Amino acid sequence: MTADCFAVKGNIFYSKDMVTIKVVPDGYIVCETGKVKGVYEVLPDELTHINIIDYGDRLIIPGLVDIHTHAPQYSFRGLGMDLELIDWLNQNAFPEEAKYSDMEYARRAYAIFVNDLKKSATTRACIFGTIHVDATIILMDLLEATGLKCMVGKVNMDRNSPEYICESGAGSIENTKKWLRESADKYKNIRPILTPRFLPACSDWLLKELSHIRKEYGCPVQSHLSENIAEVEWVKALFPKARNYGDAYDSFGLFGKEAPTVMAHCVYTNGEEMKLIKKNGVFVAHCPESNINLSSGIAPVRAYINERIPVGLGTDMAAGSSNSIFKAMTKAIQVSKLKWKLADRSLKPLTIDEAFYLGTKGGGAFFGKVGSFEEGYEFDAVVLDDGNLLHPQPLTLKQRLERIIYLSDDRNIVAKYAAGKHIWPEPANSRSVAADLT
Amino acid sequence: MTADCFAVKGNIFYSKDMVTIKVVPDGYIVCETGKVKGVYEVLPDELTHINIIDYGDRLIIPGLVDIHTHAPQYSFRGLGMDLELIDWLNQNAFPEEAKYSDMEYARRAYAIFVNDLKKSATTRACIFGTIHVDATIILMDLLEATGLKCMVGKVNMDRNSPEYICESGAGSIENTKKWLRESADKYKNIRPILTPRFLPACSDWLLKELSHIRKEYGCPVQSHLSENIAEVEWVKALFPKARNYGDAYDSFGLFGKEAPTVMAHCVYTNGEEMKLIKKNGVFVAHCPESNINLSSGIAPVRAYINERIPVGLGTDMAAGSSNSIFKAMTKAIQVSKLKWKLADRSLKPLTIDEAFYLGTKGGGAFFGKVGSFEEGYEFDAVVLDDGNLLHPQPLTLKQRLERIIYLSDDRNIVAKYAAGKHIWPEPANSRSVAADLT
């Protein structure tokens, strides 16, 4: 046993499988060199001398995992929700993203995003930046300082986009290499992820070159898949040889297999595309609020679960309005009920245990052994105080967790750990991201 | 002009119609004896001497109106969401409501509900209690002290309910009269509303007698209508002579006309029932989150709007998890998008202006001239500070309101007025409901 060993004590919740949340009342999680050594009802004799942080009657859950969101769009969350995807991109997202060519703006805007993410229950996230290298580096620097474990991508787009946000193919590749060189070995917590925006915005040449870069740098990949009917039709027209949207990515080596890949949405995925996702081990980032707000539809998450396709949750701001994966869990349950009621009676609604799994271990798997308190998992944890959620009756621990999922906000978060390190709240004397908030 | 005249100053928002929210930057609302005298960009000369409460750059909107919720169910909000209506009532709602025969429990539970409602942006609400007279009086007492303007109902149910929560018909009528006598002339802010639970739980005899009581006491009426398919079928079987669920209420004189009536849900209302609602001037309480959580479906609100049927919003806790009418506005927009996308392309999604109208003037109309700042309206107002919703770019006032609707919580509420009276926050030395919180 190393010196870097401690325990947290409290009411512990985590998922081993999707069926039932495991509950350990008043138990101990032992963390050794950043990883879970074990969960114990009673601390074994050989561990009784380690430092114990006692959180009393509070709840301790794995850190939440957000496997799809857009940092530059956070500035217009809650705005302009009357459009569908393509119009929404052109009217809301692209004009805002263009502003990140201005470093002063990027610093100010990203500080707001990062500061709020730090205060949320999220410990891991896959994050889109913009096409701009310098702004993306600023985002990575700010995130690094928080201790959050993130994958961050400089976006690639070289066609079918407004001129002010469109790269040349060669420029996009050159900048991607510059970004990867600049971020190499710079970060402990942040990792670059290749980020072709979506197929309509990327030429064949660009996709091919990105695939080469991916191999050279060993990056994972994030993008969008089958989100909206008009978008899917557009991709069909742009890639006439591809059997489906996913197959087009696959033809460029950007769809799982040796390239760990997370694809957001998958609302209109079925048949062949679903088989390919499964075969290639592609992760689905289910973003229920985004899919409602942009009138995209409801992803068939139950079908993915039945097929044992890896699924996690995404907030997809600013098509989603909130950075909370708790809210994504409740939204995932809610839309699954509507899917079942209005569209397909064979796809039964998600349970609270399943939604909790998706927001922890489900998405966490994209980061490795993350999102659970099973032995060997990285110790990401959130400590929650539900004391302000008053109630007149006794509640079981499971009920207390349900209420946290449906009712909590950042006020309920007492402490946060990522990979064994206490990251929130910061000690009073540390330099905070808040210093960048003006 | 009376001595009881003052102005509030700030950025003012209100609805005259459903099409466009009226915005008056840095304007004045003048309140005289509890009613709006006018909204002014510049205060007229004859009013310059009145007291002005300057809220600076903050937002001032009409108090929000919740026309359907259940106070006793607040204790289990966010719990047990895996059931549909009838099973949910039997497993969750009825066992909890039975506890309100215990006055100590009722006082403790209702204090939590009332304290949270006080801190919300709601100024008016139509509220279900339980069958218990004494507990309902406690609820009314607690609400009265807050200054909120509410209609509160002792529930009637004499069949098809578990024995522990079922009244005899005669007992239900006797208790209703007792409750009305006890609450008569007792309250300034709270008004009793007749509350047959829903048709399956009320015998013909009970409904007939309630109709007589209604006439005698001049009460309005609240209940549930066409929420769930199994429920609608059940009503068909119970009232074989009725042409539809609404017609059955109407046959007992409990469906609008001389009896001001609000009916929750109306998810499966169409054709004849919709015509009857319109003809009788019945209010529809649209409760989008509840309809999702219980897998009820999505109410055709656009059709009601097209027909000029009066519609307001309801939180319907605890089938809804939140007491926030802001959240009900966003949910109303969101489900309308899914209705349009998945079920009926003729029912176009609600706009933010329409949702704001529904949560203010739409529901407010059930209380009279309430929910707007037009001349003669009762002065219900909420003052909001959006300073914690940081953003890097300039925003229009309308955008600031949109963000309040999507992103705010109780921390953004600076002050609240109902019928001209400042009701929140309470002065430091007043006796608060919080004293009942244990």
Side-chain angles (χ1 to χ4, degrees), chain B residues 316-357:
Chain B
D316 192 28
M317 295 180 293
S321 65
S322 164
N323 70 6
S324 165
I325 287 291
F326 284 134
K327 286 199 168 60
M329 290 178 191
T330 64
K331 290 280 192 330
I333 294 170
Q334 291 174 332
V335 299
S336 74
K337 288 174 177 174
L338 290 175
K339 182 91 177 171
W340 171 76
K341 192 76 184 179
L342 303 179
D344 188 339
R345 300 292 287 198
S346 77
L347 300 177
K348 68 174 180 150
L350 298 187
T351 64
I352 192 99
D353 299 78
E354 289 172 329
F356 183 77
Y357 178 97

mmCIF file of all heavy atoms in Angstrom, chain B residues 316-357:
data_model
loop_
_atom_site.group_PDB
_atom_site.id
_atom_site.type_symbol
_atom_site.label_atom_id
_atom_site.label_comp_id
_atom_site.label_asym_id
_atom_site.label_seq_id
_atom_site.Cartn_x
_atom_site.Cartn_y
_atom_site.Cartn_z
ATOM 1 N N ASP B 316 -48.507 20.378 -11.512
ATOM 2 C CA ASP B 316 -49.026 19.064 -11.132
ATOM 3 C C ASP B 316 -48.037 18.235 -10.347
ATOM 4 O O ASP B 316 -47.798 17.070 -10.667
ATOM 5 C CB ASP B 316 -49.505 18.278 -12.362
ATOM 6 C CG ASP B 316 -50.299 17.042 -11.926
ATOM 7 O OD1 ASP B 316 -50.899 17.080 -10.834
ATOM 8 O OD2 ASP B 316 -50.298 16.037 -12.659
ATOM 9 N N MET B 317 -47.469 18.837 -9.328
ATOM 10 C CA MET B 317 -46.649 17.996 -8.464
ATOM 11 C C MET B 317 -47.542 16.981 -7.774
ATOM 12 O O MET B 317 -48.668 17.289 -7.438
ATOM 13 C CB MET B 317 -45.931 18.870 -7.442
ATOM 14 C CG MET B 317 -44.957 19.792 -8.173
ATOM 15 S SD MET B 317 -44.100 20.836 -7.040
ATOM 16 C CE MET B 317 -45.410 21.877 -6.441
ATOM 17 N N ALA B 318 -47.074 15.767 -7.531
ATOM 18 C CA ALA B 318 -45.742 15.257 -7.720
ATOM 19 C C ALA B 318 -45.613 14.402 -8.981
ATOM 20 O O ALA B 318 -44.601 13.750 -9.155
ATOM 21 C CB ALA B 318 -45.333 14.426 -6.524
ATOM 22 N N ALA B 319 -46.627 14.434 -9.859
ATOM 23 C CA ALA B 319 -46.384 13.815 -11.162
ATOM 24 C C ALA B 319 -45.421 14.709 -11.936
ATOM 25 O O ALA B 319 -44.614 14.236 -12.732
ATOM 26 C CB ALA B 319 -47.682 13.623 -11.911
ATOM 27 N N GLY B 320 -45.498 16.014 -11.699
ATOM 28 C CA GLY B 320 -44.432 16.928 -12.099
ATOM 29 C C GLY B 320 -43.453 17.004 -10.942
ATOM 30 O O GLY B 320 -43.860 16.902 -9.784
ATOM 31 N N SER B 321 -42.169 17.185 -11.227
ATOM 32 C CA SER B 321 -41.188 17.142 -10.133
ATOM 33 C C SER B 321 -40.857 18.520 -9.576
ATOM 34 O O SER B 321 -40.254 18.627 -8.522
ATOM 35 C CB SER B 321 -39.896 16.476 -10.617
ATOM 36 O OG SER B 321 -39.278 17.254 -11.628
ATOM 37 N N SER B 322 -41.255 19.580 -10.260
ATOM 38 C CA SER B 322 -40.818 20.924 -9.881
ATOM 39 C C SER B 322 -41.996 21.864 -9.682
ATOM 40 O O SER B 322 -43.019 21.755 -10.363
ATOM 41 C CB SER B 322 -39.928 21.478 -11.000
ATOM 42 O OG SER B 322 -39.776 22.872 -10.880
ATOM 43 N N ASN B 323 -41.839 22.822 -8.765
ATOM 44 C CA ASN B 323 -42.892 23.809 -8.554
ATOM 45 C C ASN B 323 -42.731 25.029 -9.476
ATOM 46 O O ASN B 323 -43.451 26.009 -9.327
ATOM 47 C CB ASN B 323 -42.954 24.238 -7.082
ATOM 48 C CG ASN B 323 -41.747 25.077 -6.657
ATOM 49 O OD1 ASN B 323 -40.909 25.444 -7.475
ATOM 50 N ND2 ASN B 323 -41.658 25.375 -5.366
ATOM 51 N N SER B 324 -41.809 24.952 -10.412
ATOM 52 C CA SER B 324 -41.494 26.133 -11.220
ATOM 53 C C SER B 324 -42.342 26.237 -12.488
ATOM 54 O O SER B 324 -42.325 25.347 -13.340
ATOM 55 C CB SER B 324 -40.015 26.097 -11.625
ATOM 56 O OG SER B 324 -39.770 27.019 -12.663
ATOM 57 N N ILE B 325 -43.057 27.343 -12.603
ATOM 58 C CA ILE B 325 -43.822 27.590 -13.829
ATOM 59 C C ILE B 325 -42.880 28.005 -14.967
ATOM 60 O O ILE B 325 -43.199 27.808 -16.138
ATOM 61 C CB ILE B 325 -44.949 28.609 -13.572
ATOM 62 C CG1 ILE B 325 -46.068 27.939 -12.757
ATOM 63 C CG2 ILE B 325 -45.537 29.180 -14.860
ATOM 64 C CD1 ILE B 325 -46.862 26.854 -13.493
ATOM 65 N N PHE B 326 -41.702 28.537 -14.662
ATOM 66 C CA PHE B 326 -40.706 28.738 -15.728
ATOM 67 C C PHE B 326 -40.387 27.389 -16.380
ATOM 68 O O PHE B 326 -40.324 27.268 -17.601
ATOM 69 C CB PHE B 326 -39.406 29.341 -15.179
ATOM 70 C CG PHE B 326 -39.476 30.799 -14.854
ATOM 71 C CD1 PHE B 326 -38.963 31.287 -13.652
ATOM 72 C CD2 PHE B 326 -40.038 31.702 -15.744
ATOM 73 C CE1 PHE B 326 -39.004 32.647 -13.361
ATOM 74 C CE2 PHE B 326 -40.082 33.066 -15.461
ATOM 75 C CZ PHE B 326 -39.572 33.529 -14.257
ATOM 76 N N LYS B 327 -40.159 26.377 -15.545
ATOM 77 C CA LYS B 327 -39.858 25.055 -16.093
ATOM 78 C C LYS B 327 -41.070 24.520 -16.867
ATOM 79 O O LYS B 327 -40.904 23.859 -17.893
ATOM 80 C CB LYS B 327 -39.447 24.087 -14.977
ATOM 81 C CG LYS B 327 -38.053 24.350 -14.441
ATOM 82 C CD LYS B 327 -37.507 23.131 -13.701
ATOM 83 C CE LYS B 327 -36.014 23.268 -13.425
ATOM 84 N NZ LYS B 327 -35.666 24.446 -12.581
ATOM 85 N N ALA B 328 -42.266 24.810 -16.379
ATOM 86 C CA ALA B 328 -43.460 24.371 -17.115
ATOM 87 C C ALA B 328 -43.531 25.048 -18.485
ATOM 88 O O ALA B 328 -43.968 24.444 -19.469
ATOM 89 C CB ALA B 328 -44.722 24.652 -16.298
ATOM 90 N N MET B 329 -43.094 26.308 -18.560
ATOM 91 C CA MET B 329 -43.059 27.001 -19.867
ATOM 92 C C MET B 329 -42.118 26.286 -20.826
ATOM 93 O O MET B 329 -42.474 26.011 -21.978
ATOM 94 C CB MET B 329 -42.575 28.445 -19.688
ATOM 95 C CG MET B 329 -43.540 29.372 -18.969
ATOM 96 S SD MET B 329 -42.783 31.047 -18.802
ATOM 97 C CE MET B 329 -43.942 31.824 -17.667
ATOM 98 N N THR B 330 -40.906 25.988 -20.376
ATOM 99 C CA THR B 330 -39.948 25.331 -21.283
ATOM 100 C C THR B 330 -40.440 23.932 -21.637
ATOM 101 O O THR B 330 -40.331 23.511 -22.781
ATOM 102 C CB THR B 330 -38.522 25.254 -20.682
ATOM 103 O OG1 THR B 330 -38.540 24.444 -19.522
ATOM 104 C CG2 THR B 330 -38.015 26.620 -20.296
ATOM 105 N N LYS B 331 -41.008 23.236 -20.663
ATOM 106 C CA LYS B 331 -41.530 21.900 -20.954
ATOM 107 C C LYS B 331 -42.686 21.975 -21.953
ATOM 108 O O LYS B 331 -42.836 21.095 -22.799
ATOM 109 C CB LYS B 331 -42.013 21.220 -19.667
ATOM 110 C CG LYS B 331 -40.906 20.816 -18.717
ATOM 111 C CD LYS B 331 -40.277 19.528 -19.157
ATOM 112 C CE LYS B 331 -39.353 18.885 -18.132
ATOM 113 N NZ LYS B 331 -38.634 19.734 -17.203
ATOM 114 N N ALA B 332 -43.515 23.002 -21.828
ATOM 115 C CA ALA B 332 -44.639 23.152 -22.763
ATOM 116 C C ALA B 332 -44.121 23.337 -24.185
ATOM 117 O O ALA B 332 -44.653 22.760 -25.137
ATOM 118 C CB ALA B 332 -45.518 24.330 -22.348
ATOM 119 N N ILE B 333 -43.067 24.137 -24.324
ATOM 120 C CA ILE B 333 -42.460 24.320 -25.650
ATOM 121 C C ILE B 333 -41.875 22.989 -26.129
ATOM 122 O O ILE B 333 -42.087 22.565 -27.273
ATOM 123 C CB ILE B 333 -41.355 25.392 -25.587
ATOM 124 C CG1 ILE B 333 -41.961 26.759 -25.282
ATOM 125 C CG2 ILE B 333 -40.566 25.435 -26.907
ATOM 126 C CD1 ILE B 333 -40.935 27.843 -24.965
ATOM 127 N N GLN B 334 -41.154 22.325 -25.239
ATOM 128 C CA GLN B 334 -40.463 21.093 -25.635
ATOM 129 C C GLN B 334 -41.442 19.998 -26.070
ATOM 130 O O GLN B 334 -41.249 19.369 -27.104
ATOM 131 C CB GLN B 334 -39.566 20.614 -24.489
ATOM 132 C CG GLN B 334 -38.374 21.571 -24.278
ATOM 133 C CD GLN B 334 -37.525 21.228 -23.072
ATOM 134 O OE1 GLN B 334 -38.004 20.659 -22.098
ATOM 135 N NE2 GLN B 334 -36.260 21.603 -23.109
ATOM 136 N N VAL B 335 -42.492 19.765 -25.279
ATOM 137 C CA VAL B 335 -43.420 18.696 -25.678
ATOM 138 C C VAL B 335 -44.190 19.082 -26.936
ATOM 139 O O VAL B 335 -44.548 18.217 -27.737
ATOM 140 C CB VAL B 335 -44.394 18.263 -24.553
ATOM 141 C CG1 VAL B 335 -43.624 17.719 -23.359
ATOM 142 C CG2 VAL B 335 -45.346 19.362 -24.154
ATOM 143 N N SER B 336 -44.421 20.383 -27.135
ATOM 144 C CA SER B 336 -45.133 20.789 -28.354
ATOM 145 C C SER B 336 -44.289 20.485 -29.591
ATOM 146 O O SER B 336 -44.825 20.174 -30.660
ATOM 147 C CB SER B 336 -45.503 22.273 -28.305
ATOM 148 O OG SER B 336 -44.369 23.108 -28.513
ATOM 149 N N LYS B 337 -42.967 20.552 -29.436
ATOM 150 C CA LYS B 337 -42.078 20.197 -30.549
ATOM 151 C C LYS B 337 -42.170 18.704 -30.850
ATOM 152 O O LYS B 337 -42.197 18.297 -32.015
ATOM 153 C CB LYS B 337 -40.634 20.579 -30.216
ATOM 154 C CG LYS B 337 -40.393 22.085 -30.240
ATOM 155 C CD LYS B 337 -38.988 22.451 -29.753
ATOM 156 C CE LYS B 337 -38.753 23.952 -29.852
ATOM 157 N NZ LYS B 337 -37.468 24.371 -29.277
ATOM 158 N N LEU B 338 -42.205 17.894 -29.786
ATOM 159 C CA LEU B 338 -42.281 16.447 -29.997
ATOM 160 C C LEU B 338 -43.647 16.053 -30.554
ATOM 161 O O LEU B 338 -43.750 15.150 -31.382
ATOM 162 C CB LEU B 338 -41.978 15.709 -28.695
ATOM 163 C CG LEU B 338 -40.513 15.816 -28.246
ATOM 164 C CD1 LEU B 338 -40.320 15.157 -26.897
ATOM 165 C CD2 LEU B 338 -39.571 15.185 -29.277
ATOM 166 N N LYS B 339 -44.706 16.723 -30.084
ATOM 167 C CA LYS B 339 -46.049 16.454 -30.621
ATOM 168 C C LYS B 339 -46.046 16.714 -32.125
ATOM 169 O O LYS B 339 -46.559 15.912 -32.913
ATOM 170 C CB LYS B 339 -47.062 17.382 -29.932
ATOM 171 C CG LYS B 339 -48.510 17.188 -30.357
ATOM 172 C CD LYS B 339 -49.191 16.189 -29.467
ATOM 173 C CE LYS B 339 -50.653 16.010 -29.794
ATOM 174 N NZ LYS B 339 -51.213 14.869 -29.050
ATOM 175 N N TRP B 340 -45.475 17.861 -32.500
ATOM 176 C CA TRP B 340 -45.404 18.256 -33.912
ATOM 177 C C TRP B 340 -44.550 17.276 -34.706
ATOM 178 O O TRP B 340 -44.919 16.854 -35.802
ATOM 179 C CB TRP B 340 -44.818 19.681 -33.965
ATOM 180 C CG TRP B 340 -44.477 20.192 -35.314
ATOM 181 C CD1 TRP B 340 -45.343 20.643 -36.280
ATOM 182 C CD2 TRP B 340 -43.155 20.334 -35.865
ATOM 183 N NE1 TRP B 340 -44.632 21.052 -37.377
ATOM 184 C CE2 TRP B 340 -43.296 20.880 -37.155
ATOM 185 C CE3 TRP B 340 -41.869 20.070 -35.384
ATOM 186 C CZ2 TRP B 340 -42.197 21.152 -37.980
ATOM 187 C CZ3 TRP B 340 -40.779 20.336 -36.198
ATOM 188 C CH2 TRP B 340 -40.949 20.865 -37.472
ATOM 189 N N LYS B 341 -43.417 16.886 -34.126
ATOM 190 C CA LYS B 341 -42.480 16.009 -34.840
ATOM 191 C C LYS B 341 -43.000 14.580 -34.952
ATOM 192 O O LYS B 341 -42.865 13.943 -35.990
ATOM 193 C CB LYS B 341 -41.141 15.994 -34.091
ATOM 194 C CG LYS B 341 -39.993 15.371 -34.864
ATOM 195 C CD LYS B 341 -39.516 16.328 -35.923
ATOM 196 C CE LYS B 341 -38.433 15.747 -36.809
ATOM 197 N NZ LYS B 341 -38.029 16.734 -37.827
ATOM 198 N N LEU B 342 -43.571 14.071 -33.861
ATOM 199 C CA LEU B 342 -43.870 12.641 -33.813
ATOM 200 C C LEU B 342 -45.330 12.297 -34.069
ATOM 201 O O LEU B 342 -45.644 11.162 -34.409
ATOM 202 C CB LEU B 342 -43.480 12.062 -32.442
ATOM 203 C CG LEU B 342 -42.025 12.224 -31.995
ATOM 204 C CD1 LEU B 342 -41.826 11.627 -30.620
ATOM 205 C CD2 LEU B 342 -41.075 11.561 -32.995
ATOM 206 N N ALA B 343 -46.233 13.263 -33.870
ATOM 207 C CA ALA B 343 -47.644 12.869 -33.887
ATOM 208 C C ALA B 343 -48.506 13.649 -34.868
ATOM 209 O O ALA B 343 -49.355 13.060 -35.539
ATOM 210 C CB ALA B 343 -48.221 13.003 -32.470
ATOM 211 N N ASP B 344 -48.321 14.960 -34.966
ATOM 212 C CA ASP B 344 -49.281 15.733 -35.764
ATOM 213 C C ASP B 344 -48.620 16.995 -36.313
ATOM 214 O O ASP B 344 -48.457 17.980 -35.594
ATOM 215 C CB ASP B 344 -50.493 16.096 -34.890
ATOM 216 C CG ASP B 344 -51.612 16.740 -35.695
ATOM 217 O OD1 ASP B 344 -51.346 17.271 -36.801
ATOM 218 O OD2 ASP B 344 -52.760 16.716 -35.213
ATOM 219 N N ARG B 345 -48.253 16.957 -37.587
ATOM 220 C CA ARG B 345 -47.524 18.070 -38.204
ATOM 221 C C ARG B 345 -48.390 19.312 -38.373
ATOM 222 O O ARG B 345 -47.888 20.360 -38.786
ATOM 223 C CB ARG B 345 -46.962 17.664 -39.580
ATOM 224 C CG ARG B 345 -45.988 16.493 -39.523
ATOM 225 C CD ARG B 345 -44.687 16.834 -38.836
ATOM 226 N NE ARG B 345 -43.842 17.678 -39.654
ATOM 227 C CZ ARG B 345 -42.538 17.847 -39.458
ATOM 228 N NH1 ARG B 345 -41.929 17.224 -38.462
ATOM 229 N NH2 ARG B 345 -41.838 18.637 -40.224
ATOM 230 N N SER B 346 -49.692 19.207 -38.080
ATOM 231 C CA SER B 346 -50.542 20.403 -38.186
ATOM 232 C C SER B 346 -50.480 21.251 -36.917
ATOM 233 O O SER B 346 -50.928 22.392 -36.903
ATOM 234 C CB SER B 346 -51.988 20.000 -38.468
ATOM 235 O OG SER B 346 -52.604 19.518 -37.281
ATOM 236 N N LEU B 347 -49.944 20.677 -35.834
ATOM 237 C CA LEU B 347 -49.906 21.395 -34.546
ATOM 238 C C LEU B 347 -48.518 21.989 -34.334
ATOM 239 O O LEU B 347 -47.638 21.361 -33.746
ATOM 240 C CB LEU B 347 -50.265 20.442 -33.403
ATOM 241 C CG LEU B 347 -51.654 19.798 -33.485
ATOM 242 C CD1 LEU B 347 -51.846 18.808 -32.333
ATOM 243 C CD2 LEU B 347 -52.765 20.835 -33.476
ATOM 244 N N LYS B 348 -48.312 23.208 -34.817
ATOM 245 C CA LYS B 348 -46.949 23.749 -34.783
ATOM 246 C C LYS B 348 -46.498 24.073 -33.346
ATOM 247 O O LYS B 348 -47.327 24.391 -32.487
ATOM 248 C CB LYS B 348 -46.798 24.936 -35.743
ATOM 249 C CG LYS B 348 -47.552 26.149 -35.350
ATOM 250 C CD LYS B 348 -47.234 27.333 -36.280
ATOM 251 C CE LYS B 348 -48.046 28.509 -35.796
ATOM 252 N NZ LYS B 348 -47.573 29.810 -35.961
ATOM 253 N N PRO B 349 -45.192 23.955 -33.112
ATOM 254 C CA PRO B 349 -44.662 24.125 -31.745
ATOM 255 C C PRO B 349 -44.996 25.491 -31.146
ATOM 256 O O PRO B 349 -45.158 26.476 -31.869
ATOM 257 C CB PRO B 349 -43.154 23.996 -31.933
ATOM 258 C CG PRO B 349 -42.984 23.179 -33.169
ATOM 259 C CD PRO B 349 -44.133 23.558 -34.060
ATOM 260 N N LEU B 350 -45.088 25.540 -29.831
ATOM 261 C CA LEU B 350 -45.295 26.810 -29.127
ATOM 262 C C LEU B 350 -44.038 27.666 -29.213
ATOM 263 O O LEU B 350 -42.920 27.152 -29.209
ATOM 264 C CB LEU B 350 -45.593 26.561 -27.645
ATOM 265 C CG LEU B 350 -46.846 25.770 -27.275
ATOM 266 C CD1 LEU B 350 -47.043 25.804 -25.756
ATOM 267 C CD2 LEU B 350 -48.082 26.299 -27.967
ATOM 268 N N THR B 351 -44.223 28.959 -29.240
ATOM 269 C CA THR B 351 -43.096 29.889 -29.174
ATOM 270 C C THR B 351 -42.861 30.288 -27.718
ATOM 271 O O THR B 351 -43.708 30.052 -26.844
ATOM 272 C CB THR B 351 -43.398 31.166 -29.972
ATOM 273 O OG1 THR B 351 -44.500 31.828 -29.330
ATOM 274 C CG2 THR B 351 -43.771 30.852 -31.415
ATOM 275 N N ILE B 352 -41.744 30.944 -27.471
ATOM 276 C CA ILE B 352 -41.449 31.413 -26.120
ATOM 277 C C ILE B 352 -42.482 32.458 -25.691
ATOM 278 O O ILE B 352 -42.893 32.503 -24.525
ATOM 279 C CB ILE B 352 -39.995 31.961 -26.039
ATOM 280 C CG1 ILE B 352 -39.565 32.184 -24.595
ATOM 281 C CG2 ILE B 352 -39.817 33.246 -26.824
ATOM 282 C CD1 ILE B 352 -38.731 31.092 -24.042
ATOM 283 N N ASP B 353 -42.941 33.269 -26.633
ATOM 284 C CA ASP B 353 -43.954 34.285 -26.309
ATOM 285 C C ASP B 353 -45.262 33.621 -25.884
ATOM 286 O O ASP B 353 -45.930 34.085 -24.957
ATOM 287 C CB ASP B 353 -44.201 35.182 -27.527
ATOM 288 C CG ASP B 353 -42.948 35.912 -27.961
ATOM 289 O OD1 ASP B 353 -42.097 35.279 -28.604
ATOM 290 O OD2 ASP B 353 -42.803 37.096 -27.634
ATOM 291 N N GLU B 354 -45.615 32.550 -26.571
ATOM 292 C CA GLU B 354 -46.849 31.846 -26.225
ATOM 293 C C GLU B 354 -46.735 31.166 -24.863
ATOM 294 O O GLU B 354 -47.668 31.209 -24.051
ATOM 295 C CB GLU B 354 -47.183 30.826 -27.312
ATOM 296 C CG GLU B 354 -47.644 31.493 -28.605
ATOM 297 C CD GLU B 354 -47.790 30.524 -29.771
ATOM 298 O OE1 GLU B 354 -47.037 29.528 -29.831
ATOM 299 O OE2 GLU B 354 -48.636 30.781 -30.641
ATOM 300 N N ALA B 355 -45.598 30.532 -24.612
ATOM 301 C CA ALA B 355 -45.414 29.849 -23.330
ATOM 302 C C ALA B 355 -45.450 30.848 -22.175
ATOM 303 O O ALA B 355 -46.030 30.577 -21.115
ATOM 304 C CB ALA B 355 -44.101 29.074 -23.328
ATOM 305 N N PHE B 356 -44.840 32.013 -22.385
ATOM 306 C CA PHE B 356 -44.853 33.057 -21.352
ATOM 307 C C PHE B 356 -46.290 33.522 -21.091
ATOM 308 O O PHE B 356 -46.703 33.680 -19.941
ATOM 309 C CB PHE B 356 -43.989 34.230 -21.820
ATOM 310 C CG PHE B 356 -43.850 35.348 -20.818
ATOM 311 C CD1 PHE B 356 -43.000 35.227 -19.734
ATOM 312 C CD2 PHE B 356 -44.560 36.540 -20.969
ATOM 313 C CE1 PHE B 356 -42.866 36.258 -18.807
ATOM 314 C CE2 PHE B 356 -44.428 37.569 -20.053
ATOM 315 C CZ PHE B 356 -43.577 37.434 -18.973
ATOM 316 N N TYR B 357 -47.039 33.691 -22.154
ATOM 317 C CA TYR B 357 -48.452 34.074 -22.005
ATOM 318 C C TYR B 357 -49.207 33.025 -21.175
ATOM 319 O O TYR B 357 -49.947 33.374 -20.245
ATOM 320 C CB TYR B 357 -49.089 34.209 -23.399
ATOM 321 C CG TYR B 357 -50.563 34.554 -23.375
ATOM 322 C CD1 TYR B 357 -50.994 35.865 -23.515
ATOM 323 C CD2 TYR B 357 -51.528 33.563 -23.210
ATOM 324 C CE1 TYR B 357 -52.348 36.189 -23.493
ATOM 325 C CE2 TYR B 357 -52.876 33.875 -23.177
ATOM 326 C CZ TYR B 357 -53.283 35.183 -23.321
ATOM 327 O OH TYR B 357 -54.617 35.495 -23.289
#
